[in-house]
Each structure stands twice: as C-alpha cells, then as structure tokens.
Amino acid sequence: MPVHNADVAALFEDVADLLAIQGENAFRIRAYRNAARTLNQLSRPVADLVAAGEDLSDLPDIGDDLAGKIATIVETGRLPLYDELAQDIPPSVADLLRIPGLGPKRVRRLRDALGVDSRAALKRAAETGKVQALDGFGETMEQNILDGLAQMSDDARWLLARVEPIVASLHDHVSAHDAVERVDAAGSYRRRKETVGDLDVLALADDGPAVTEHFAAYEDVAETLSQGDTRASVRLRSGLQVDLRVVPPKSYGAALLYFTGSKAHNVALRDRAVAAGLKLNEYGAFRDDTEKRVAGTTEDDIYDLFDLPYIVPELRENRGELDAAADGTLPDLVTRADLRGNLHTHTTYSDGLHSLEEMAAAAQTRGLEYLAITDHSPAVAVVQGLDADALRAQMDAIDRLNEDLDDLRVLKGIEVDILKDGSLDLPDAVLADLDLCLCALHTALDLDEETQTERVLRALDNPHVHVLAHPTGRRINERPPIEIDLDRVMEAAADRGCVLELNAQPERLDLSDVHCRRAKELGLPLVIGADAHSTDGLDVLRYGVDQARRGWLEADDVLNTKPWADIAPVFDR
DNA sequence: GCCGTTTTCGGCCCGACTGTTTTCAGTCG
C-alpha cells in the first residue's frame, strides 16, 4: 500500500498529541506539528521523493531526524516512536484532546487520577461527579465536557457555499449597530477555502462591549459560548460557531491580517517581523525597542513594512507566497471575469433540470461566449443517459439552436462514463463527431490505486477524449477521493494532449488546491467546469475560480479563459 | 526537533478568555 503524505502527516500529529500528554518539551511537539503541516502542503507524494533518493531535510521544518522517520514510514508503514508512545497512551486517550476545553494537561490528569481512558469512561466519570472533584476542574468544566462529548458526532466542516448566505445575514445584523463602521468575515472563509470550520468575523468599532452585546443578541444565536469586551463567541441555530472580534481603526488592518490567517502564514510573517526587530500582533506592528506602533491600519501597510506587495487571502497558506512576494513573482491569479465559457453542462436530455434552450439563455445572461452541453452516457444508471442515437439527435438540436444564436456558441459534447475496464460507454464513431468529450468515473470507485490509475490511463488513451472530469470523485464530507496516482494521470494527460477538469461544484471542488498547483508545476492546463445541472448551476463557476486561485493558477493555466477557437486546436489530438 | 545576513547553541508567536483561582494555569486560535 502506498503511503500518502496525509498518512505521514497524521502520524506526526498523533505523535505530537502523545508527546503533549506525556508533558514533553513544547518545542519538540511543535516540530512534529510543523512537519505535518509541511507534508500536508507538499504537492508531490513524499513516497516518490524517498524513492527518488531526494534529501527530505531540504523541506521546510524537516531536519535529519524527521527525514529519517519519514523514510521509515514510507518504507515500513510504521513509526517505532509512535508504537512505543501508544503503548503508554492508547489512541482513545489522545482522542479526548478533541473535546473543547480539554488539552494535554487535563487529559493527563483525568487518566492519572481517574483512570479515564476513553470517551465512554470520561462520560461515566463526568456523570458521576468525579471530574468536578478533581484539582483544576470544577462543576462548569464537568458540564462543558458532557456538552462537548454530545456535540462530537457532528464536527464536519461547512461547505463554503453553505456558509455564504449565513455570512450575508450576519453581516447585515452586525453592521446595523450604530458604532460599527465596517464588518469583514475573515478566517478560512476569506481565504476561500473549500470548507469552513467556524466563522471569524471582525467589526470595526470603538465601543467593544456594546458591539459584542449586540452580536450575542442576533436572532439566530442558539448559545453564547463566551462574551468579553472585545470578543464574543456564539453557536448559531444552524450549528455554525461564530467568533466576533471588535477592533478599533488603528488596529483594523493588523487584526484583519491576523484573523484571516492562515496561522502558518501569520507565523511566517511574524518570523520576518522578529528578524526585522519588530513585534507583530493583532493590534499592529511595533518596534521591539521603543514599543512604537509602525503599522496596523491596513494590511497593505503591514506587508509594506516588510517590502512585500499585498498578498491576496487565497495565497496566505505559507506555501511559498512570502518568498514569491519578496521576489516579485507572485502569480497574477485567474478571476471569474477571465472565464469565457463553461465546458460541463447537463440538460433535460439526461439529469439536468433545464432544457438545452434554457441553459443556452442562462449562459448568455452570464456573458459566456461558449457552452458545452455534456450530458451523461447510458452507464450512469440513476439517470437516463444518452446512447449514440439520442446523442446524435441532441447534436442536431444543437446545430439548429446555434443557427439562432449570435453571441453564444453551443458546443456538442458528452460526459461519457469510463467503464470498469477503462473503455468508454459510447462508440468512437459518435465521439469523433463531437466538439468536446469529457470522460468521468461514476462507478467502481473502490478499486485499488494501481487498477484505478490504469483504468483512467486507458480511457485517456482514447484519442477522442479531451477532458477527465472530477478526477478524484470526492464529495466533501460524504465520499473520500478515489485511490489514484494523480501524478501519473497528470503526466499522461499532458503527454496525450488532454487536460483535467477542476469541477466547480461546491461539494466536489475536484481537483483540490494542492492538485491544481501540481498540475501547473507539470505544465498541464485545467478547465474549470460548472457541472451545471440547472441554469443557476452555472453560478458555481466562481467557487471553481476560488479554488484555482488557491492553487496559484493564472488565466493562462485555465483553458476556458481563452476563446473556443484557441482551445479547439489544443484538443485536436 | 528545527534553525541560523547577530547564532551550530539557545532560542522557538502571542494575547484573550475561562474557570478555578486569589494571582494564574490551561486552552484556544
């Protein structure tokens, strides 16, 4: 079984948790967490680097020791240090760290004093009042633990698209207070991450207590978790946790930067501050010696302090954006306005909600120059897919429609299923007459990596195929990505003159930001596809653009920023 | 355990809030 970067990262995180419970040196613990972060953000499989004999200690936050441990994990699938630690502290104890309010110290005390070694044991101890009797615990803490245990089942992150309307109404509520001059949702929401854990909201105002009070009185608040003079934290009826910070003007830029994150970006920026004799926190940037404030009103001022240009939130992940900013090599990121067409659209011919004509009209309304109609082929059993005859009939209908359209070209396409053996669900003869052929997996998603990769490569061998749609098949919070060697797939696609799709549906966003960046490194362009099943479905393109931006993509890296006349030759295999 | 344009040793981001305290430890982000 190949060892994935996320596996190694998770193992390091587990080691960090166990060391923390043991009371180890905090910096050693952080070293494991930093290394885990590096691994999670690495665009290449670390197993490949090991196989190629590359020096892993060249990677940030990975020295000789951890490089050796990574090699051991890749080669054996195990880490002796972890096995050793887990003998003392079983995973079910480390799991207790996930309960809000419980950190390593308290988990350790629960175990040592009460023998608590699992969630079930903790629940029993709390219910019988044993926890509150413990040093450093109390009645409130005991209740918080019981609440936390009850809440743990539904801790999935929220889809960005689902949080947007919540942000809009919350923004209205907070803005309505007289003292509030400006409101921003920061955090991973502002970085346009595909999912949001909780929401960080900033309000520009001088009267903190009044604003946190007003915030806690929002009609959708189910529970106030904490409330102070400058901060408040609530859980909404929807279950989403929202943290509000009230900030005065002179600190607003520093606070926006701080609470937008990512944490890794902030830490890296503060490293630069320390090196420059400055202190950077959410109130501003200050001279170390004189404590004098030198920036803080805007984010621009703070980046400027380090001779850096403004870095957009989507790039703030400490994945090289600070160095790129210093070198003047930040990417000129793709925007929604750059997109000229959509290459993934369904209609009533298969499982779409709207007709060919309605979809074409919706594309025109949105200013698109071209729209590829790509209904399903027969193998997708849950919908009525198009067989060769039905597809030919649709092609005729598209020809007729195009005669009536001036500023939109409707393209004849298909989303053809890749069958289990890698062959396609429609004959070559009909595929050959299309403008665009997407291929995609919808069945047999559980094959092992080697088999799945070979299956997809065989599909890409078909000279009529242009695009591999939603390449990993994941559905966020519902279905994990398939096992597939994407590096091989991307290289094969580049060889064969086809491309991969970045599917823009909010629950897919498939490829991930890291994969988008890898495609760019390999010189493989992508297409951003709405996979629209209705007229409104075309509006999700912007989520695809968000993801592409997080993957450092520029307009040139995305094929459907170009006129169709420029794309067609690319697809002429 | 990592890292170095002051350093190969001695640092390592830092402040708010809570709960259990009576001056602060632990947790969180």
Side-chain angles (χ1 to χ4, degrees), chain A residues 432 434-437 462-467 495-499 559 564-573:
Chain A
L434 294 167
D435 296 310
L436 179 75
C437 176
N462 185 305
H464 303 297
V465 163
H466 305 117
V467 178
D495 278 352
R496 291 160 174 75
C498 31
V499 303
L559 275 189
W564 175 249
D566 293 355
I567 302 175
V570 176
F571 285 158
D572 189 13
R573 296 177 61 184

Side-chain angles (χ1 to χ4, degrees), chain A residues 8 62 70 264 271 315 333 339 342 425 555:
Chain A
V8 185
I62 291 176
I70 293 169
D271 277 350
L315 291 179
L333 298 177
L339 296 189
N342 173 42
D425 191 29

Side-chain angles (χ1 to χ4, degrees), chain A residues 418 422 424 439 454-462 465 573:
Chain A
I418 302 175
L424 300 180
C439 66
E454 289 296 333
R455 174 192 187 191
V456 168
L457 293 188
R458 180 165 172 222
L460 297 184
D461 278 338
N462 185 305
V465 163
R573 296 177 61 184

Side-chain angles (χ1 to χ4, degrees), chain A residues 460-491:
Chain A
L460 297 184
D461 278 338
N462 185 305
H464 303 297
V465 163
H466 305 117
V467 178
L468 175 63
H470 46 73
T472 79
R474 72 159 175 177
R475 297 180 75 93
I476 298 170
N477 290 341
E478 288 171 33
R479 189 170 73 203
I482 56 170
E483 297 278 331
I484 191 165
D485 185 342
L486 266 190
D487 251 37
R488 266 179 81 196
V489 170
M490 289 194 209
E491 282 164 7

Side-chain angles (χ1 to χ4, degrees), chain A residues 65-99:
Chain A
D65 181 81
L66 291 183
K69 288 191 166 77
I70 293 169
T72 303
I73 295 166
V74 167
E75 283 156 14
T76 68
R78 306 214 61 85
L79 178 62
L81 170 63
Y82 174 79
D83 294 340
E84 203 177 296
L85 290 166
Q87 294 242 313
D88 275 349
I89 304 155
S92 59
V93 172
D95 170 67
L96 301 177
L97 292 172
R98 296 175 51 212
I99 298 164

Side-chain angles (χ1 to χ4, degrees), chain A residues 125-144:
Chain A
E127 280 169 349
T128 53
K130 287 179 183 156
V131 171
Q132 59 171 289
L134 225 52
D135 251 10
F137 291 78
E139 208 172 326
T140 311
M141 180 76 68
E142 187 173 75
Q143 190 54 48
N144 287 347

